[in-house]
Amino acid sequence: MPKMKTNAGAKKRFSLTGSGKIKRKHAFKSHILTKKSTKRKRNLTATGHVDKADENNIKLCLAMK
């Protein structure tokens, strides 16, 4: 059986932490930023973690399972 390919879109959007959690970036920070408050934009800069319910699907996309 051939090796499973990594999904290129997932490869660009997600990264693993040392403890095995998946890091992600927030949406809504690419354009139309003038109407958003400074606090909102600052909070969108921080990385988040993928929800437990979505972890398996993303790990499949990253060819980890």
Side-chain angles (χ1 to χ4, degrees):
M1 181 130 182
K3 291 181 181 177
M4 200 170 134
K5 284 192 176 181
T6 301
N7 180 293
K11 180 171 53 176
K12 295 168 194 172
R13 287 169 172 83
F14 302 105
S15 61
L16 276 175
T17 63
S19 60
K21 292 177 184 170
I22 304 171
K23 284 197 306 187
R24 66 171 178 85
K25 293 187 176 81
H26 284 95
F28 307 110
K29 186 140 191 285
S30 58
H31 61 104
I32 316 174
L33 298 172
T34 51
K35 65 172 80 171
K36 295 170 188 160
S37 69
T38 309
K39 179 180 179 179
R40 182 173 166 194
K41 288 185 280 192
R42 185 174 61 244
N43 288 337
L44 289 172
T45 300
T47 57
H49 293 290
V50 169
D51 194 67
K52 191 79 173 158
D54 301 320
E55 268 187 16
N56 284 338
N57 285 334
I58 292 166
K59 283 184 177 179
L60 278 173
C61 289
L62 295 173
M64 294 178 55
K65 279 193 147 190

